[in-house]
Amino acid sequence: MTLDPRSIADKAPRPERHVPVVVVGAGEAGVAAAVAAARGGAQVLLVDEHPVDNDMMAMDVPLYFGQRMQESVRNRALMMERVVEANPGLAEAHEAGVDVQLGTYVWGAFVNGPSVRELPGPMLGLADDRRSWLVGYDRLIVAAGARDVVLGFPGWERAGAMGAAGAHALLTRYRALASKRMLILGSGSLALATAALALEHGIDVAGVVEVGDAVHGEIGAFPTLHGVPVYLSHTVKEARGKVGEVESVVLVQVDAALEPVVDTEREIACDTICWALGLVPNVELLHLVGARLLFASSRGGWVPQLSDVMQTTAAGVFAVGDCAGVRGDRATAREQGRVAGIAAAQSLGANLSPLPARRRAEGDGPAVHAYWQQWLQSLVHVGGWEVNVCQCEEVTRRELVEVKPPRYLKWDSPQMNARSLETILGDGPVNQDQIKRLTRAGMGPCQSRRCREQVGLLLAQSAGTTIDRIPLPSFRPPLRPLPLNVLWPADEPPAMREQWVSWFGIPTQFSPHWEAGMAIAEPTAQTPLILSDE
Amino acid sequence: MRVIRSWGGVVENTPDGLPVVDRLASPDNVIIATMSSVGFGLSPAAGKAISEMVVHGRCLFADLSAIALGRFAETPSDWRERAGWIAAGSPIAEATAGGAR
């Protein structure tokens, strides 16, 4: 029996190449994993999205760059040089025989499952500035790192409001941070390290702001910070400046109830305000391959469930480094990478000496969400409810918790006005995806990187629950906002392209129901499909 | 123009590509209403037909006998292979072998 020419059977796109081990992310953990797997005899591809192009940076993807990039980031060749120079691990990986591809995004993962059975094997969707392609793999090691948690205040849309991870990347990888004077929010190890790094690069640090009444990190470990003002029990009232720019920040003192104290405002001149409250594991790729994720506040939120060798619950998929749980500790990241790299190579038949048991000294930090919640409460008390929680779609805190339809619809009805988080809670637990569909919060081009956590925290707070009880909002491919001309499948098989308007040739599909003889005893496959334009 | 999200799903088809809107004879409290891969625009009519089947036992505004489930009573269980939609022995054919009609 020949196949119906219109059937999609056997037309699934083939990967353009197959690599036994693919490692995503070339930080400490990813490089260690790639090197270990290659030394174990496996063929390894290591991809990293840096240097990302200027347009992507301007959308705060993948990190919160806050428009504080220098013009030089437009020079791709120069940025490629700098990214390579900044990461000695890349040379090490290259020497170990790893195929290293920089400036390469992972935008999708395609694996067989209950509703997909026809793929030739698991595949990743990759892309660079020009095109996208598929790569098949046997083992996938995800070392995707972490991103900043950011919380809104009046003026947080201005250029110069950025995240610590974005600042670190621009300072150390790109050497292209356009900042002269930076105010830092938070006082944990991330904040203090960011302050020290800024000073080291000749940036003036205007101060470290902490909503609590004590510094969280060990400030003594950063001698260069001596003399930097520390504002305890303070929060941000507003960022000010000429159109679209941060030129100063107004701080205000808060009391034990996180309410503003009258007449304590102070305006601090700075061109950059940097969130350094903590990091969130980048689990979007792990979510796409179906790895089970668990909530662990001490590791930054949703993290993969892992075996002793860093294997997730998804077949052949490992997670290492900050995306497996934020620890911010390079030695742990390297060790995790090494363990996963060896395990991946071993599972492919490499004859390696047995693994050392993974060190259980996890070094989990304190639970971070209560701290973020504290910051958010102070910002709500001081800044009010008319502050945007979602910049892309301009959804305010009030519109979010009152579950208002998007403003541009100009849709005002008693029915809609009666709807609120409270009435929705009557139908079941709060669900961030549902709230997104109703309000558009999180639907914009930054792919909810700037609002995901604050939307979750606000919903939890307003619903009187804790954020671990709010299900993980979904991630969908493409995981990066890629241009259509890049994502466009240039390699689509002609057989698929010719027939893309239909899935099967069903001769009777568009027959009127009153015509006799539709029921089939023996279907005929080759009868032409009736198309309306024929 | 940038793509920021996408959806995918399973396209389900009936063997003849036409809807099934029917109230079963047994058990008689079951109504089936499905389109075949397309039919979003037909949903208001389908909804009205369903409501009439519940209330009156049959659709009053149209004769839907041609889209009753019974038309597949004699359809063989390997109809997908026969129609050439899937190859015999393919993962889907294996998974659906002897499956429901």
Side-chain angles (χ1 to χ4, degrees):
Chain A
M1 182 92 209
T2 52
L3 271 182
D4 172 0
R6 294 185 187 276
S7 166
I8 58 169
D10 288 342
K11 292 178 188 168
R14 305 272 147 180
E16 106 176 7
R17 62 186 283 219
H18 181 92
V19 187
V21 179
V22 177
V23 182
V24 178
E28 298 282 348
V31 166
V35 169
R39 291 195 179 139
Q43 194 194 334
V44 182
L45 168 65
L46 171 62
V47 296
D48 193 284
E49 62 192 315
H50 296 285
V52 298
D53 70 68
N54 178 69
D55 294 346
M56 199 77 94
M57 284 183 162
M59 288 185 282
D60 293 323
V61 180
L63 301 171
Y64 203 163
F65 298 109
Q67 318 301 326
R68 277 292 175 259
M69 305 83 78
Q70 290 173 357
E71 274 295 300
S72 58
V73 299
R74 293 175 188 274
N75 183 337
R76 301 285 292 146
L78 178 65
M79 290 304 117
M80 187 65 87
E81 268 176 36
R82 289 187 176 173
V83 164
V84 170
E85 271 172 33
N87 189 349
L90 296 176
E92 189 194 347
H94 185 71
E95 276 161 29
V98 174
D99 178 1
V100 181
Q101 291 187 10
L102 302 178
T104 303
Y105 308 97
V106 176
W107 56 266
F110 304 93
V111 296
N112 279 323
S115 62
V116 185
R117 296 170 190 268
E118 292 251 307
L119 297 180
M123 295 186 284
L124 286 181
L126 303 184
D128 59 18
D129 294 350
R130 293 167 298 119
R131 68 182 196 107
S132 66
W133 65 96
L134 296 169
V135 168
Y137 63 86
D138 299 315
R139 300 291 178 271
L140 173 65
I141 303 178
V142 181
R147 63 185 167 77
D148 292 292
V149 62
V150 302
L151 305 170
F153 46 77
W156 75 291
E157 301 87 350
R158 293 170 180 277
M162 73 182 313
H168 278 253
L170 283 178
L171 281 172
T172 61
R173 292 185 177 193
Y174 294 80
R175 282 187 275 140
L177 179 62
S179 180
K180 292 193 174 65
R181 190 168 152 84
M182 182 184 280
L183 184 68
I184 291 168
L185 303 184
S187 69
S189 52
L190 176 69
L192 300 179
T194 306
L197 187 69
L199 287 173
E200 193 185 314
H201 284 78
I203 296 167
D204 193 10
V205 175
V208 170
V209 185
E210 170 54 51
V211 74
D213 57 9
V215 170
H216 280 210
E218 288 175 42
I219 199 159
F222 299 90
T224 56
L225 296 186
H226 186 73
V228 168
V230 178
Y231 300 99
L232 296 177
S233 300
H234 273 72
T235 195
V236 179
K237 186 177 181 194
E238 189 188 358
R240 291 179 181 165
K242 64 170 183 278
V243 182
E245 289 285 325
V246 172
E247 290 180 339
S248 70
V249 169
V250 180
L251 298 181
V252 63
Q253 205 181 318
V254 291
D255 60 19
L258 301 169
E259 294 283 356
V261 178
V262 287
D263 292 335
T264 59
E265 280 118 9
R266 66 175 82 216
E267 186 165 1
I268 294 173
C270 59
D271 61 13
T272 305
I273 177 167
C274 182
W275 281 278
L277 309 182
L279 300 172
V280 186
N282 286 326
V283 294
E284 57 264 50
L285 182 55
L286 296 168
H287 178 82
L288 282 197
V289 296
R292 184 176 300 136
L293 302 174
L294 309 167
F295 191 90
S297 186
S298 59
R299 297 187 201 171
W302 292 93
V303 291
Q305 179 183 327
L306 293 170
S307 75
D308 272 357
V309 293
M310 311 306 291
Q311 190 159 7
T312 70
T313 60
V317 180
F318 298 77
V320 295
D322 280 348
C323 76
V326 173
R327 292 184 179 83
D329 161 18
R330 291 174 174 224
T332 305
R334 274 196 296 272
E335 179 61 9
Q336 289 179 346
R338 198 179 70 83
V339 166
I342 293 173
Q346 273 180 337
S347 70
L348 293 171
N351 186 14
L352 295 165
S353 51
L355 274 178
R358 183 162 70 96
R359 281 185 301 203
R360 298 300 302 180
E362 298 285 54
D364 278 2
V368 290
H369 293 78
Y371 177 57
W372 297 343
Q373 200 68 267
Q374 200 183 353
W375 266 100
L376 180 63
Q377 271 178 28
S378 76
L379 292 168
V380 172
H381 289 165
V382 171
W385 289 91
E386 308 309 327
V387 176
N388 280 341
V389 64
C390 169
Q391 274 191 38
C392 298
E393 298 291 333
E394 299 185 339
V395 179
T396 65
R397 290 173 183 151
R398 180 182 308 283
E399 288 165 331
L400 181 81
V401 300
E402 291 183 357
V403 200
K404 293 289 182 214
R407 226 174 300 146
Y408 67 83
L409 289 177
K410 295 184 177 129
W411 187 25
D412 194 26
S413 72
Q415 203 183 358
M416 282 299 129
N417 290 337
R419 189 175 73 186
S420 71
L421 201 53
E422 244 171 49
T423 63
I424 285 181
L425 286 174
D427 302 333
V430 65
N431 176 316
Q432 199 165 333
D433 278 332
Q434 182 199 17
I435 299 291
K436 172 167 103 172
R437 288 174 206 121
L438 295 172
T439 65
R440 292 193 68 86
M443 246 187 213
C446 84
Q447 298 178 316
S448 81
R449 284 177 180 80
R450 297 184 294 203
C451 69
R452 185 174 269 266
E453 285 68 40
Q454 53 178 332
V455 166
L457 289 166
L458 262 178
L459 290 177
Q461 190 180 314
S462 303
T465 183
T466 49
I467 191 158
D468 56 302
R469 295 185 178 273
I470 297 185
L472 176 78
S474 66
F475 296 95
R476 297 187 171 278
L479 297 175
R480 298 292 181 271
L482 292 171
L484 201 50
N485 65 344
V486 167
L487 209 53
W488 181 73
D491 57 349
E492 188 175 47
M496 178 73 94
R497 179 160 300 173
E498 281 159 21
Q499 306 288 350
W500 74 268
V501 291
S502 66
W503 299 282
F504 303 107
I506 311 176
T508 48
Q509 178 157 24
F510 296 100
S511 307
H513 72 85
W514 54 88
E515 272 185 11
M518 290 185 324
I520 51 165
E522 186 71 32
T524 54
Q526 310 301 332
T527 317
L529 187 74
I530 304 158
L531 286 174
S532 57
D533 59 352
E534 281 176 8
Chain B
M1 178 78 77
R2 284 176 188 259
V3 184
I4 56 175
R5 73 182 79 83
S6 64
W7 283 265
V10 175
V11 171
E12 74 287 358
N13 281 282
T14 59
D16 59 9
L18 289 164
V20 177
V21 181
D22 195 8
R23 180 165 179 163
L24 298 190
S26 171
D28 68 355
N29 59 350
V30 174
I31 290 172
I32 294 177
T34 179
M35 299 295 131
S36 176
S37 76
V38 293
F40 186 75
L42 293 176
S43 40
K48 187 165 171 59
I50 293 166
S51 75
E52 292 186 351
M53 283 176 172
V54 171
V55 176
H56 305 290
R58 64 187 181 88
C59 176
L60 302 181
F61 71 88
D63 175 10
L64 299 186
S65 56
I67 55 171
L69 183 66
R71 71 186 190 272
F72 302 121
E74 301 305 317
T75 305
S77 62
D78 62 346
W79 60 271
R80 297 172 193 79
E81 291 95 313
R82 291 182 186 224
W85 293 3
I86 55 177
S90 77
I92 298 176
E94 297 294 325
T96 57
R101 290 172 173 179

